[in-house]
Amino acid sequence: MRRYIIALLPLLFIGCKHQEKMDESRLKVPAGFSIDIFAQAPKARMMAFSPGGVLLVTATSDGKVLALPDSKHTGKAEKSVTVLQDLNAPHGIAFHNGKLYIAETNQLQRFDWDESQLHATNGQVIAKYPGSGMHFTRTLLFANGKMYVSIGSDCNVCDEKDKHRAAVMEYNEDGTGERVFASGLRNSVGLAFNEKTGTIWATDNARDWLGDSRPADEINDLGKTGGNFGWPYCYANQVLDVTQAKAGDSRCKNTIAPKVQIEAHSAPLGLAYYNGTLFPSDYKGDLLVALHGSWNRSRPSGYKVIRVQVGDKGEAQIKEDFVTGWIRPGETRKGVWMGRPVDVIVGPEGAVYISDDAAGVVYRVAPSKPLSS
């Protein structure tokens, strides 16, 4: 299985062999903000802060987890420490009750965490699920006293036989009590908890090969009890996919519509609610979403981080681009870009960190000047 995973890993990083050296000066942020490279982190994917405030990142294709300490709070990591290695495509990462959790492609491990040494030991497998497949990354979230793992489909569009696929699975915090929480989610790479609604929100990458403009990628509110979000028979707001079902098919009737629709093939991955105090107050509670970027569209889409305004009752709309510049304006030739944003996380001090698996870095976004009191 591990050999199979290694063969598939390059699909995550299509375009890397054409990628130029990253020049962060080309990245654009809203007026009043600055963006800088926080750390070099090859193949950086998902991120989490340790209980002591150290940023950890998974390097999926290298089978590693890295720690990037900034003990003097300079806005630059002072070193890179390999916390774990020889893992099976590690992707999702979280800290919970002082333990470190890593979602590999086929299993979830829990480790003892030594903050002083930046060291993880005594790995214990607490859950197993299908590994590899077309979508082989697994993302992890703790919310509402439960543990959630997203598992993508094994195909572009098909009738999955394994209940784990194209779903978000729910577990007790110790890995027991497995059940399907939300289904019909082709590849929900990003999970985030909305404190206002008390629900999990998830990005979802819609199917390919229906042209440049459909179906739209999605951000979904999974609700209190989950539900069916349509794939493979439906997309958008109960639109029937006629390649998978005949006209009049009733399977779309009870599917749940997305909260936000994003330009097709933009590949939304990580997302985070801004809950810090460093940014202007109107950012509070808004979503920042990383669009990894298209690989099969005649004119590329994505390659940016967007800001989604979210209301108290869960109403949501795209407000603006937050970070752009990973791709040249007007670029049409496939496979030429500077980088691809993957995950977004808010640091303890309120800055925003963005991972980039193509450029192999983590960026830090903060106000150019301290906010006035």
Side-chain angles (χ1 to χ4, degrees):
M1 177 181 289
R2 185 168 178 80
R3 185 177 300 171
Y4 181 50
I5 292 298
I6 291 171
L8 282 171
L9 283 168
L11 294 176
L12 276 176
F13 313 110
I14 293 171
C16 289
K17 74 179 201 176
H18 301 291
Q19 170 238 327
E20 301 173 357
K21 184 177 180 181
M22 187 62 213
D23 177 7
E24 71 271 25
S25 69
R26 295 184 59 159
L27 298 178
K28 306 301 180 186
V29 291
F33 288 90
S34 63
I35 182 168
D36 298 285
I37 291 179
F38 173 74
Q40 299 294 322
K43 312 298 173 54
R45 291 289 289 185
M46 307 307 279
M47 299 179 288
F49 276 94
S50 74
V54 175
L55 181 64
L56 273 69
V57 60
T58 53
T60 302
S61 64
D62 289 341
K64 294 181 179 180
V65 177
L66 307 175
L68 306 170
D70 176 19
S71 60
K72 297 180 180 179
H73 308 291
T74 65
K76 300 280 186 181
E78 59 216 34
K79 59 183 176 180
S80 175
V81 178
T82 299
V83 172
L84 294 165
Q85 58 188 350
D86 298 324
L87 298 177
N88 193 2
H91 192 254
I93 180 171
F95 283 91
H96 185 67
N97 291 335
K99 303 282 188 178
L100 172 62
Y101 292 74
I102 302 293
E104 297 173 86
T105 189
N106 64 324
Q107 63 187 15
L108 180 66
Q109 288 203 67
R110 180 176 61 200
F111 296 86
D112 292 335
W113 173 246
D114 184 340
E115 186 82 28
S116 65
Q117 300 298 316
L118 301 180
H119 196 203
T121 57
N122 301 324
Q124 178 187 7
V125 176
I126 63 169
K128 283 185 171 289
Y129 36 72
S132 67
M134 179 177 176
H135 300 117
F136 60 89
T137 63
R138 311 291 179 244
T139 305
L140 173 65
L141 178 73
F142 286 90
N144 293 330
K146 297 288 185 177
M147 180 172 67
Y148 297 87
V149 178
S150 63
I151 300 174
S153 68
D154 194 22
C155 60
N156 172 41
V157 57
C158 64
D159 188 4
E160 292 280 13
K161 303 305 180 185
D162 190 323
K163 68 177 184 179
H164 299 84
R165 296 283 188 184
V168 172
M169 303 298 297
E170 181 186 84
Y171 301 85
N172 295 325
E173 294 180 352
D174 62 358
T176 62
E178 176 192 86
R179 76 177 186 98
V180 176
F181 179 70
S183 62
L185 295 164
R186 178 176 174 271
N187 191 26
S188 287
V189 178
L191 301 174
F193 182 68
N194 184 329
E195 294 181 357
K196 294 177 180 178
T197 61
T199 58
I200 297 168
W201 286 41
T203 55
D204 195 32
N205 287 225
R207 64 157 297 180
D208 297 315
W209 312 122
L210 286 182
D212 274 2
S213 301
R214 65 188 178 104
D217 288 331
E218 300 177 353
I219 301 173
N220 293 292
D221 179 356
L222 304 189
K224 300 282 189 181
T225 57
N228 186 335
F229 291 82
W231 183 91
Y233 306 107
C234 323
Y235 57 85
N237 188 4
Q238 300 184 346
V239 176
L240 186 70
D241 186 337
V242 296
T243 72
Q244 301 302 304
K246 295 180 180 180
D249 192 303
S250 63
R251 279 178 285 197
C252 292
K253 184 178 180 180
N254 296 315
T255 59
I256 302 169
K259 282 290 185 178
V260 177
Q261 296 188 53
I262 299 169
E263 187 176 23
H265 310 299
S266 294
L269 299 186
L271 73 169
Y273 286 93
Y274 189 78
N275 54 10
T277 57
L278 193 61
F279 282 21
S281 59
D282 64 332
Y283 278 80
K284 193 77 170 181
D286 285 356
L287 266 177
L288 297 174
V289 186
L291 307 186
H292 198 226
S294 59
W295 61 272
N296 62 343
R297 198 172 188 269
S298 60
R299 184 175 296 276
S301 58
Y303 301 96
K304 59 186 177 181
V305 176
I306 61 173
R307 177 185 174 192
V308 177
Q309 197 167 47
V310 181
D312 290 342
K313 296 181 180 180
E315 63 275 22
Q317 63 179 348
I318 296 174
K319 182 176 178 64
E320 62 184 356
D321 291 344
F322 183 65
V323 187
T324 60
W326 277 284
I327 194 167
R328 298 181 182 90
E331 178 65 72
T332 59
R333 185 158 60 92
K334 295 179 182 179
V336 180
W337 43 71
M338 298 171 58
R340 305 185 77 183
V342 177
D343 195 19
V344 183
I345 191 171
V346 180
E349 84 287 20
V352 165
Y353 296 78
I354 302 165
S355 60
D356 181 332
D357 62 354
V361 299
V362 173
Y363 310 93
R364 182 178 184 269
V365 182
S368 304
K369 298 178 181 179
L371 297 178
S372 56
S373 57

